[in-house]
C-alpha cells in the first residue's frame, strides 16, 4: 500500500466553492493501493480574524497592554487552531458529497505530539498507527495543519505558515511516497515572476537549493518544512490548486541532489527587502569581543545574517557590520547599547533601506567564476555592494534597496535564466 500526503493552503480552501475543487483534486489522486492524507490550512483571512479576537479578549490595544505571554499563549493556541478544524470538517463533507469515504482527524486524536512552546511549538512525534490503518482501508484522512498537542493534552500551534511543516511531518511519519503542496502558484520559479516576466518554472530543485531560497525570501515553502523534508528525504512537489483535475499541472519537485541530472550553475535568484544593516565602528580589538556581541544578540532572539569584520583606522580597534531583519533593528541597537561599555564601541549606525540579493545553485560546487559573473553584472548596472556572504551553493550581497529589482533582473539574465 502506497501513501500520498496532500496539503492545501488558505487561498486554496478560501470558500466552499474552492473546497469543492480541492475535493475533486483529491478524488483524482485516489486509486487502488494508495492511501491519502490531506492536510489543510484555515480558510484565507480566518487566522487573522481569530488572532484579532484573541488579542482583543486579552486587552491588547495598538498602544500595547494585554496579558503577559505566559498567561496568553496557551489560550491563544486554542483560539487560532479552530480555523483549521473548521476546514477539516468542510473538506470531509465535500469529499463525502462526491462519494469519497473521508473523516477529519484532529491533532489530539492522532495524536500529533509537540513540545509545550505555545505559538512556536516543535514537533516531537506523530503516532500514525491508527491513522495509517484508516487511510490504508481507503478512508481519506483530513488533518488540520499548523497545530499539535502536548503530552498533557494542551493544544499548540507551530507558528505562522506551519501547515507546510505539518504536511511534511505527516508524510515522514506515514512513510509516504511524496508530499504534494498545493498553493496559489504552479511551482518554484527561477525568481519572482512579478519582477522578471521571463522567469522559468523549475522541474526539479534540490533540498539544499530550496532551503536557501526559502530562507532568503522565496515564499513558496516554509523553511522548517524544507528542513524536515531534507532530514527525512521526503520528496515534495509544489503545484497549483487552481488547475482542474486532468489538466497539465507538473509543478516543481523538491528532491535529493542526485536525482537532478542537469545541474544548473545557478538555479535561482532570491531577494529580501526585510533587511537592516547595523555597523559598529571602533570596537575594541581583542579576543572575546565578537563573542560578547553576538551572544547578546542571540539572547535577545535577534536573527543575524551577514557579518563583516575589518580593521579600523585606529590601532587596536575594529569595525563590525552585520545584518538582521528590519523589524529587529531597533532591538539590535538597544542590545548593543546595553553592552557598549564592555565592547568599547565608538559609534552604532543603523541603515534600513537595504536589500539582500542572492544567487543559488548546486552547480556552484564544481564551477569557477560564479562570483565574478555576479559582481560584473551588478557593476555594469552601477549597483554598489555593501556586504557579501557566501556558502557552498549561495552568494548573497547587500545593496541599496532602491536597486533591488534592477539587480534581480540583471543577475537573472547574467546567469542565462531568462526564458527563450
Amino acid at each position: 500500500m502506497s501513501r500520498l500526503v496532500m496539503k492545501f493552503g488558505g487561498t486554496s480552501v478560501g470558500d466552499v466553492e474552492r473546497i469543492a475543487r480541492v475535493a475533486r483534486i483529491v478524488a483524482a489522486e485516489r486509486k487502488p493501493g494508495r492511501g491519502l492524507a490531506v492536510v489543510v490550512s484555515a480558510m484565507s483571512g480566518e487566522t487573522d480574524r481569530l488572532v484579532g479576537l484573541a488579542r482583543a479578549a486579552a486587552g491588547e490595544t495598538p498602544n500595547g497592554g494585554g496579558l503577559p505571554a505566559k498567561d496568553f499563549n496557551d489560550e491563544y493556541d486554542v483560539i487560532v487552531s479552530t480555523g483549521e478544524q473548521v476546514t477539516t470538517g468542510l473538506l470531509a463533507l465535500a469529499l463525502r458529497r462526491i462519494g469519497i469515504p473521508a473523516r477529519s482527524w484532529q491533532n489530539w486524536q492522532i495524536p500529533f505530539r509537540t513540545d509545550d512552546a505555545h505559538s512556536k511549538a516543535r514537533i516531537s512525534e506523530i503516532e500514525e498507527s491508527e491513522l495509517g490503518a484508516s487511510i490504508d482501508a481507503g478512508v481519506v484522512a483530513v488533518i488540520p495543519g499548523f497545530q499539535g498537542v502536548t503530552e498533557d493534552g494542551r493544544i499548540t500551534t507551530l507558528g505562522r505558515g506551519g501547515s507546510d511543516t505539518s504536511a511534511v511531518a505527516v508524510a515522514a511519519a506515514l512513510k509516504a511516497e511524496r508530499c504534494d503542496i498545493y498553493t496559489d502558484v504552479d511551482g518554484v520559479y527561477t525568481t519572482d515572476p512579478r519582477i522578471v516576466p521571463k522567469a522559468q518554472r523549475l522541474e526539479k530543485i534540490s533540498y539544499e537549493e530550496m532551503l536557501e531560497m526559502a530562507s532568503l525570501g522565496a515564499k513558496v515553502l516554509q523553511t522548517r518544512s524544507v528542513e524536515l523534508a531534507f532530514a527525512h528525504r521526503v520528496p515534495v512537489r509544489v503545484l497549483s490548486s487552481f488547475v482542474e483535475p486532468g489538466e497539465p499541472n507538473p509543478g516543481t519537485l523538491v528532491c535529493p541532489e542526485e536525482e537532478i541530472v542537469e545541474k544548473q550553475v545557478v538555479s535561482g535568484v532570491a531577494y529580501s527587502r526585510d533587511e537592516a544593516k547595523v555597523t559598529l565602528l571602533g570596537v575594541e580589538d581583542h579576543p572575546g569581543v565578537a563573542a560578547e556581541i553576538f551572544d547578546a544578540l542571540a539572547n535577545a532572539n535577534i536573527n543575524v545574517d551577514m557579518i563583516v569584520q575589518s580593521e579600523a583606522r585606529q590601532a587596536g580597534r575594529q569595525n563590525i557590520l552585520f545584518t538582521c531583519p528590519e523589524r529587529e533593528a531597533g532591538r539590535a541597537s538597544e542590545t548593543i547599547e546595553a553592552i557598549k561599555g564592555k565592547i568599547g564601541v565608538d559609534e552604532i549606525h543603523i541603515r534600513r533601506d537595504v536589500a539582500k540579493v542572492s544567487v543559488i545553485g548546486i552547480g556552484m560546487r564544481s564551477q569557477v567564476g560564479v562570483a565574478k559573473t555576479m559582481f560584473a553584472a551588478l557593476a555594469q548596472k552601477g549597483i554598489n555592494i555593501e556586504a557579501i556572504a557566501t556558502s557552498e551553493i549561495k552568494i548573497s550581497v547587500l545593496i541599496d534597496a532602491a536597486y533591488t529589482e534592477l539587480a534581480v533582473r540583471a543577475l537573472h539574465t547574467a546567469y542565462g535564466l531568462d526564458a527563450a
Side-chain angles (χ1 to χ4, degrees):
M1 189 78 179
S2 68
R3 295 165 175 176
L4 176 68
V5 174
M6 308 168 73
K7 181 264 175 179
F8 294 88
T11 54
S12 305
V13 293
D15 54 39
V16 174
E17 289 74 21
R18 290 183 179 181
I19 289 172
R21 181 195 284 123
V22 167
R24 294 194 297 273
I25 294 171
V26 172
E29 290 290 350
R30 192 166 178 267
K31 56 187 67 174
R34 173 190 276 176
L36 294 179
V38 185
V39 177
V40 292
S41 298
M43 300 168 77
S44 55
E46 182 63 8
T47 300
D48 288 338
R49 185 184 74 86
L50 294 168
V51 169
L53 289 174
R55 289 176 174 167
E60 187 174 321
T61 70
N63 297 320
L67 294 168
K70 65 181 180 63
D71 295 326
F72 176 73
N73 287 346
D74 58 343
E75 297 302 339
Y76 167 90
D77 282 356
V78 172
I79 296 162
V80 299
S81 63
T82 59
E84 284 75 17
Q85 180 174 329
V86 169
T87 311
T88 61
L90 293 174
L91 180 56
L93 290 175
L95 286 164
R96 291 177 181 181
R97 180 183 175 187
I98 58 175
I100 304 295
R103 66 153 287 188
S104 62
W105 291 77
Q106 302 316 305
N107 290 88
W108 57 269
Q109 295 172 314
I110 296 173
F112 192 112
R113 300 286 186 197
T114 73
D115 61 23
D116 60 0
H118 288 282
S119 80
K120 52 183 178 183
R122 308 288 294 190
I123 300 164
S124 56
E125 180 187 14
I126 299 175
E127 297 177 23
E128 57 76 32
S129 56
E130 188 177 347
L131 173 68
S134 179
I135 67 173
D136 288 348
V139 180
V140 176
V142 189
I143 303 166
F146 170 65
Q147 59 196 258
V149 63
T150 65
E151 285 292 340
D152 59 357
R154 294 292 286 165
I155 293 171
T156 58
T157 62
L158 309 182
R160 296 303 291 265
S163 292
D164 285 353
T165 302
S166 298
V168 174
V170 169
L174 291 172
K175 296 180 173 57
E177 63 186 79
R178 194 176 65 245
C179 178
D180 285 349
I181 307 286
Y182 287 81
T183 182
D184 54 0
V185 296
D186 63 349
V188 180
Y189 278 72
T190 49
T191 196
D192 188 341
R194 295 169 299 179
I195 292 179
V196 184
K198 292 183 177 181
Q200 303 179 71
R201 180 183 56 79
L202 298 165
E203 291 185 10
K204 293 183 178 181
I205 186 171
S206 71
Y207 294 121
E208 297 97 320
E209 290 171 315
M210 191 67 245
L211 188 56
E212 292 284 9
M213 291 184 76
S215 65
L216 291 166
K219 301 294 193 296
V220 179
L221 288 174
Q222 189 202 40
T223 304
R224 279 171 63 189
S225 71
V226 184
E227 291 173 346
L228 198 59
F230 191 8
H232 293 276
R233 285 298 195 264
V234 176
V236 175
R237 188 170 59 148
V238 179
L239 63 171
S240 173
S241 63
F242 298 109
V243 175
E244 288 292 337
E247 297 179 4
N249 192 15
T252 298
L253 183 67
V254 186
C255 61
E257 177 183 338
E258 52 268 23
E259 292 186 21
I260 301 175
V261 178
E262 293 288 336
K263 295 180 175 65
Q264 296 288 333
V265 176
V266 169
S267 298
V269 182
Y271 68 94
S272 171
R273 291 191 175 97
D274 178 27
E275 302 291 331
K277 180 176 73 170
V278 182
T279 305
L280 311 180
L281 299 177
V283 179
E284 291 179 1
D285 189 7
H286 60 74
V289 171
E292 186 82 43
I293 293 169
F294 294 105
D295 183 60
L297 292 167
N299 290 336
N301 201 28
I302 294 167
N303 185 21
V304 173
D305 183 19
M306 296 178 170
I307 302 173
V308 178
Q309 180 177 321
S310 60
E311 289 186 4
R313 291 183 178 180
Q314 300 168 267
R317 296 278 174 168
Q318 61 180 321
N319 299 326
I320 295 178
L321 175 157
F322 64 86
T323 63
C324 66
E326 193 276 335
R327 63 188 178 276
E328 297 177 4
R331 284 196 297 116
S333 179
E334 292 170 3
T335 301
I336 300 300
E337 284 284 355
I339 60 169
K340 192 173 182 179
K342 293 182 180 180
I343 63 175
V345 64
D346 290 333
E347 299 177 41
I348 304 170
H349 297 289
I350 307 287
R351 184 179 170 194
R352 288 180 164 84
D353 56 341
V354 293
K356 179 172 58 180
V357 179
S358 309
V359 295
I360 303 109
I362 52 177
M364 289 187 188
R365 291 180 176 144
S366 57
Q367 290 289 332
V368 297
V370 180
K372 174 187 173 183
T373 300
M374 183 180 201
F375 302 153
L378 296 175
Q380 189 176 25
K381 297 297 183 181
I383 301 171
N384 187 49
I385 297 171
E386 301 187 23
I388 303 167
T390 64
S391 73
E392 193 178 19
I393 64 166
K394 173 200 72 179
I395 305 173
S396 296
V397 296
L398 195 69
I399 63 172
D400 188 310
Y403 295 101
T404 305
E405 295 188 7
L406 178 61
V408 170
R409 287 193 292 267
L411 294 172
H412 199 268
T413 300
Y415 288 104
L417 297 176
D418 291 351

